[in-house]
């Protein structure tokens, strides 16, 4: 049943049918057909469901949809446009530089954790475009990869960092 709740996701306002305490992840998947965020643990432990909320990574499996009303949710699908907006670019690239780096470096294996890795990595690069290896490790600490792709994730973030440095003033 429809209620008065609306949320802004990837720059567009969407009415929400679900009850206010429904996890944001379910609304993104079931109502908006945004399948970048994945259900992993459901306990805010693994990071596969991560999205940006006003530019800060949150776990959408443990975030009630009512809690994001009036804020800007960015999912994997909206990262390139978010990046363009953050950097004052006239047009959004096809992919966020970190998405491109994940492809170029073949960072994913099964890909289940990839959403969270890219969302968190993008948050890091937005506030610290040239992170050290230690800073990348610290930022990514709460993101689990059962395939053990951590070295390739590290490399992809470093590659994206260099790409961003070359692409932005
Ligand atoms: S599914 Fe949300 S943190 Fe694991
Ligand atoms: S690539 Fe399989 S869980 Fe990370």
């Amino acid at each position: 049943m429809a209620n008065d709740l609306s949320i802004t996701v990837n720059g567009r306002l969407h009415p929400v049918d679900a009850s206010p305490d429904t996890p944001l992840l379910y609304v993104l998947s079931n109502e908006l057909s945004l399948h970048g965020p994945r259900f992993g643990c459901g306990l805010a432990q693994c990071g596969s469901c991560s999205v940006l909320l006003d530019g800060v990574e949150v776990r959408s499996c443990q975030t009630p949809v009512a809690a994001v009303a009036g804020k800007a949710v960015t999912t994997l699908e909206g990262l390139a446009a978010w990046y363009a907006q953050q950097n004052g670019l006239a047009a959004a690239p096809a992919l966020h530089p970190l998405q491109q780096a994940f492809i170029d470096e073949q960072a994913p294996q099964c890909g289940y954790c990839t959403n969270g890795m890219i969302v968190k990595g993008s948050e890091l690069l937005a506030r610290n475009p040239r992170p050290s290896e230690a800073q990348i490790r610290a930022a990514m600490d709460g993101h689990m990869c059962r395939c053990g792709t951590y070295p390739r994730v590290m490399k992809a973030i470093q590659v994206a960092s260099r790409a961003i440095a070359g692409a932005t003033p």
Side-chain angles (χ1 to χ4, degrees), residues 38-49 59 61:
R38 300 283 184 86
F39 184 92
C41 64
L43 298 168
Q45 300 287 316
C46 73
S48 66
C49 67
R59 307 289 162 104
C61 68

Side-chain angles (χ1 to χ4, degrees), residues 51-126:
V51 300
L52 297 178
L53 186 60
D54 286 346
V56 178
E57 183 236 356
V58 298
R59 307 289 162 104
S60 65
C61 68
Q62 287 286 313
T63 303
V65 65
V68 308
K71 300 181 179 179
V73 176
T74 305
T75 69
L76 186 72
E77 293 85 348
L79 270 187
W82 177 78
Y83 171 76
Q85 184 185 39
Q86 294 288 308
N87 291 282
L89 305 182
L95 296 172
H96 186 287
L98 187 53
Q99 290 174 297
Q100 188 62 55
F102 263 64
I103 294 170
D104 294 343
E105 299 304 319
Q106 300 186 3
Q109 187 163 313
C110 81
Y112 211 89
C113 68
T114 302
N115 169 74
M117 296 291 189
I118 291 178
V119 167
K120 183 65 187 182
S122 299
E123 179 213 57
L124 169 65
L125 291 169

